[in-house]
Every structure is written in structure tokens, then in C-alpha cells.
Amino acid sequence: DTMARRLQIVESRFEYVSRRISLAGIMSRKEAQKAVEDGRVKVDGVTLRSEMKVSAHHHVEIDDEVVDPPGMPKLWAFRKPRYVASSFDDKREDVLTMHHKLHFWSEQERARVGTSTHQNVLPRHFVPLHVLDKPTPGLMMVTNCSEFARNLVDPRSNIFTTYHCRVLGKLPHHLFVHWRAGVTLNDVHYGPIFVEVRKRGIHSNWLRVTLVE
């Protein structure tokens, strides 16, 4: 029957052990693959030296830390302050980055929530969906699943991105209408762009620009 077929699908769902480690937010998939080669990963008590596929019934450990089967991909949204770099590289010490900001927040959250639960706490590894220029404040989104991230930013998913922009000079209103049919710049087609004037000024204007990147 239908229920039996669904259970069969669940039972036969396998994934590479490096992907499970990556989805757990412990490290990137590339780092997890290296950990497997180095003998740091165990499946059902057996040390691995090469990749293998596991199901939800396998017991996976890395450096004696249990790696639970992944659930639904998770998504976090944060406001990037002005003059904070979008980099998530923890090796950068020459500039204040989102890595520093997010992990400062994470440590505060761990202290508030406690060490017994990881709910609402960022994983050690996460994937940014996009970057913003250092002087630009705005919403930044990160996830624990690189496949989920690729699908979100794929133009075929038709997910809109909205920017609030300040522009100088006279507005080219006639172009705004044409942009709704799509814009091609440097041989790259960006699809429809929708522009809304949010605030008018003598020397500048604020626009709300929505497009599929």
C-alpha cells in the first residue's frame, strides 16, 4: 500500500558519510572527506579510510562526537552591519568579518541556552547564500546545506532578491519600464527587474530594486 511504499523509500535513503557530517554543521564536506581519509570517522564502531554511504540507521562518529542523521535544511538570517566584511573565513584577523560577528553571537546564545541543546545556535560550519560589499549593510542568509544553498540561488528557482539603493541625479523612468522585460549587461541576462521609488530628494533618490539574480 501507499504507507509501505513510503517506508521503503525512507529505509533506502542513503548518503555519503561526509555529507552527513557537513549537514551537521561540524565542518565542510571537503574537510569531512579529509577526516575520513585520516581515520577520524567511525561508522558503527568501525574506523573508515574511504567514503561510504550511510542511512539513518548507521551510528556515525567523528573524533568521538556523535553525528546525528540530518533533518530538514536549516536557514539563518542576519543583518550585516556596515563596514563588516562578508567573509566567513575564520583565518582572517586583519578585518572584522561576519565570521567574527556570528560566532560572537553564537557564544552568547550558547551561554543563554546552555550546552545541552543546539537549538537556535549556529553550527561550526555554514554556507552563505550571497555576499554584500563591506560598506553595505543588509540581510545575509546562511544555511547548513550546500545543496539547499545552490537551489536557492539558482535563477531557475525564480527567488527574488530585493535591494534598497540610493542613486544620485535624475531618475531614468523610461528605463524602469523596459527593465521589466529583462536586462542584459556584459552578455549576462538578468531577467525582469522591478524598480519602485521609495523616497525622492533634491539630489538623490531611494529605490527598491527587485530581481532574480
Side-chain angles (χ1 to χ4, degrees):
D1 57 10
T2 303
M3 181 59 69
R5 289 196 296 271
R6 289 179 179 176
L7 290 174
Q8 184 178 9
I9 291 174
V10 172
E11 289 289 335
S12 61
R13 183 172 296 166
F14 287 83
E15 63 189 350
Y16 284 105
V17 66
S18 62
R19 186 172 187 270
R20 178 188 289 195
I21 295 171
S22 176
L23 287 176
I26 297 174
M27 58 183 64
S28 70
R29 186 166 181 178
K30 185 176 181 180
E31 292 170 334
Q33 291 170 340
K34 181 66 166 57
V36 170
E37 296 173 358
D38 293 341
R40 296 164 53 195
V41 178
K42 294 181 180 179
V43 174
D44 295 335
V46 179
T47 300
L48 298 185
R49 290 291 181 179
S50 61
E51 276 274 35
M52 70 170 288
K53 288 187 175 182
V54 296
S55 72
H57 300 286
H58 287 92
H59 181 79
V60 178
E61 296 181 10
I62 178 169
D63 298 333
D64 298 322
E65 178 180 353
V66 177
V67 184
D68 294 325
M72 294 293 291
K74 297 179 181 179
L75 188 67
W76 292 267
F78 300 94
R79 181 184 181 277
K80 186 188 85 66
R82 191 184 301 273
Y83 298 115
V84 173
S86 295
S87 172
F88 289 87
D89 185 359
D90 60 353
K91 298 178 182 180
R92 292 197 61 177
E93 298 294 341
D94 57 322
V95 65
L96 183 62
T97 68
M98 283 299 292
H99 172 85
H100 301 133
K101 281 286 186 180
L102 294 184
H103 279 275
F104 174 73
W105 171 86
S106 180
E107 291 304 314
Q108 286 186 319
E109 191 72 0
R110 288 181 193 276
R112 185 181 69 83
V113 176
T115 58
S116 60
T117 178
H118 295 287
Q119 186 177 6
N120 297 326
V121 178
L122 277 174
R124 279 167 279 176
H125 171 75
F126 38 81
V127 182
L129 299 186
H130 61 283
V131 297
L132 296 172
D133 294 336
K134 185 178 177 181
T136 303
L139 189 71
M140 288 201 66
M141 306 183 76
V142 299
T143 179
N144 64 328
C145 179
S146 57
E147 182 179 354
F148 180 53
R150 286 194 298 270
N151 289 334
L152 283 178
V153 300
D154 191 327
R156 292 171 294 183
S157 298
N158 289 321
I159 297 178
F160 285 104
T161 299
T162 299
Y163 295 96
H164 292 267
C165 312
R166 179 173 177 260
V167 297
L168 303 177
K170 186 178 179 180
L171 294 177
H173 292 279
H174 64 287
L175 291 179
F176 295 166
V177 177
H178 294 299
W179 289 352
R180 295 178 184 178
V183 176
T184 300
L185 182 63
N186 295 329
D187 296 326
V188 177
H189 184 66
Y190 289 91
I193 296 179
F194 304 95
V195 181
E196 178 186 356
V197 180
R198 302 291 291 178
K199 184 178 180 181
R200 298 180 183 274
I202 299 176
H203 302 292
S204 64
N205 300 272
W206 281 94
L207 307 178
R208 180 177 181 176
V209 182
T210 302
L211 70 156
V212 175
E213 294 187 288

